[in-house]
Amino acid sequence: MKIVVLDGYTLNPGDNPWDVVSSLAEFVCYDRTAENEIIERAKEADIILTNKTPLSRETLNQLPNLKFISVLATGFNVVDVEAARAKNVSVSNVPIYGTDAVAEFVMALLLNAKRQPQLHSELSKQGKWQSSVDFCFWETPLSELKGKTIGIVGFGRIGRRTAELASAFGMKVLASARTHKNTPSYDFGWKSVEEVFAEADVVSLHCPQTEANTGMVNKALLASMKPTAYFINTARGGLVNEVDLAEALNDGTIAGAAVDVVSKEPIQVENPLLKAKNITITPHIAWAALEARQRLMSTTADNIKAFMAGKCIHVVN
């Protein structure tokens, strides 16, 4: 049995060893694999691990030994799962590993927006504090989270954990979800997507992207927000009409935004958000805390063990 990792650097840039996986079978790990290198590198693989390296129908049809694919992430759109099923190749993902990591990152983005510690650190280093006529100074408005309302679109594991953290800061929580189950006991209310955007002081997306909701955060929805409101997206970039978001930021429709995901990644030079006002853009790292990557590694090993035992888990096809 041979395991080939096509793009292992993201999961293990040097701080998260492959030991729990490499001990299971013959093992080869490539930091990165270009599309034209996949077939040569994986032609003898029984098991392929991939994060973002695509496995198309054409590619899968040229991998005769392949029996199992484990995606090193929750999202599995990099694999043509129907083509894999047609070849009797099971595909598994890692559904739970980054709940706390992403929720904490949302709060970091929100706290940064409201208190701006890094900005004021840089200004102090530049001499702005020293030259201030007052004992202290601030460049931007500063405000507390307590008493504010956070709106969460998508109330799964990550959405709920984000809500718990926000509630601990004294925020009221509004949530939009397909089903209204297990209503929290803290200050909370179920709302429609439209109501969440209109009523919240900050809106955070935590829903999967579907054909129906692609581009749902558009000019009309953004225009319904308070002019003091803040928008956060750590879910999927395709949920947002980026032209509309850039315009809303530039014309002051909303106060600011933070996005960890964009429609095409890595972000393209022509993406309008790069030149928008009052936006923080991070390179899809909300999930990437070491502890989360360690859980991802451990679950991947469990996926492989289950496959070898003939009892696949976390199967997506």
Side-chain angles (χ1 to χ4, degrees), residues 187-215:
D187 194 353
F188 177 90
W190 294 110
K191 298 286 184 175
S192 68
V193 171
E194 292 76 15
E195 289 170 329
V196 165
F197 273 79
E199 298 177 25
D201 297 298
V202 55
V203 174
S204 185
L205 300 187
H206 295 284
C207 52
Q209 183 182 345
T210 65
E211 186 175 344
N213 68 15
T214 295

Side-chain angles (χ1 to χ4, degrees), residues 107-184:
M107 298 310 297
L109 293 172
L110 181 52
L111 285 165
N112 183 63
K114 293 298 184 181
R115 306 307 295 268
Q116 293 287 349
Q118 186 59 40
L119 170 65
H120 288 89
S121 172
E122 294 301 321
L123 292 174
S124 295
K125 293 175 184 178
Q126 294 167 19
K128 293 291 185 70
W129 186 13
Q130 298 91 317
S131 62
S132 172
V133 296
D134 300 305
F135 174 75
C136 57
F137 86 103
W138 50 92
E139 188 85 357
T140 61
L142 307 175
S143 62
E144 296 178 346
L145 298 185
K146 185 175 182 179
K148 305 297 191 301
T149 298
I150 186 170
I152 295 179
V153 179
F155 212 57
R157 286 182 293 268
I158 297 175
R160 283 182 179 270
R161 183 57 180 149
T162 301
E164 290 171 359
L165 296 179
S167 176
F169 277 93
M171 300 185 78
K172 178 181 179 179
V173 179
L174 305 178
S176 170
R178 287 176 295 180
T179 58
H180 296 177
K181 297 179 179 179
N182 302 318
T183 300

Side-chain angles (χ1 to χ4, degrees), residues 153-299:
V153 179
F155 212 57
R157 286 182 293 268
I158 297 175
R160 283 182 179 270
R161 183 57 180 149
T162 301
E164 290 171 359
L165 296 179
S167 176
F169 277 93
M171 300 185 78
K172 178 181 179 179
V173 179
L174 305 178
S176 170
R178 287 176 295 180
T179 58
H180 296 177
K181 297 179 179 179
N182 302 318
T183 300
S185 58
Y186 47 76
D187 194 353
F188 177 90
W190 294 110
K191 298 286 184 175
S192 68
V193 171
E194 292 76 15
E195 289 170 329
V196 165
F197 273 79
E199 298 177 25
D201 297 298
V202 55
V203 174
S204 185
L205 300 187
H206 295 284
C207 52
Q209 183 182 345
T210 65
E211 186 175 344
N213 68 15
T214 295
M216 72 171 185
V217 181
N218 56 21
K219 186 172 184 177
L221 205 54
L222 291 164
S224 72
M225 297 178 75
K226 300 175 183 179
T228 54
Y230 198 76
F231 172 74
I232 297 175
N233 185 15
T234 56
R236 289 290 181 264
L239 294 166
V240 179
N241 182 315
E242 292 168 337
V243 171
D244 289 355
L245 177 57
E247 289 181 356
L249 291 165
N250 290 333
D251 65 20
T253 299
I254 61 174
V259 298
D260 187 52
V261 290
V262 291
S263 58
K264 187 174 183 181
E265 298 176 349
I267 195 167
Q268 304 296 293
V269 294
E270 65 271 17
N271 191 306
L273 296 180
L274 286 171
K275 296 182 179 179
K277 298 177 182 178
N278 301 322
I279 187 169
T280 297
I281 302 172
T282 52
H284 205 141
I285 57 171
W287 68 278
L290 173 59
E291 295 83 356
R293 288 185 287 112
Q294 288 171 335
R295 288 190 289 270
L296 201 159
M297 182 75 76
S298 176
T299 303

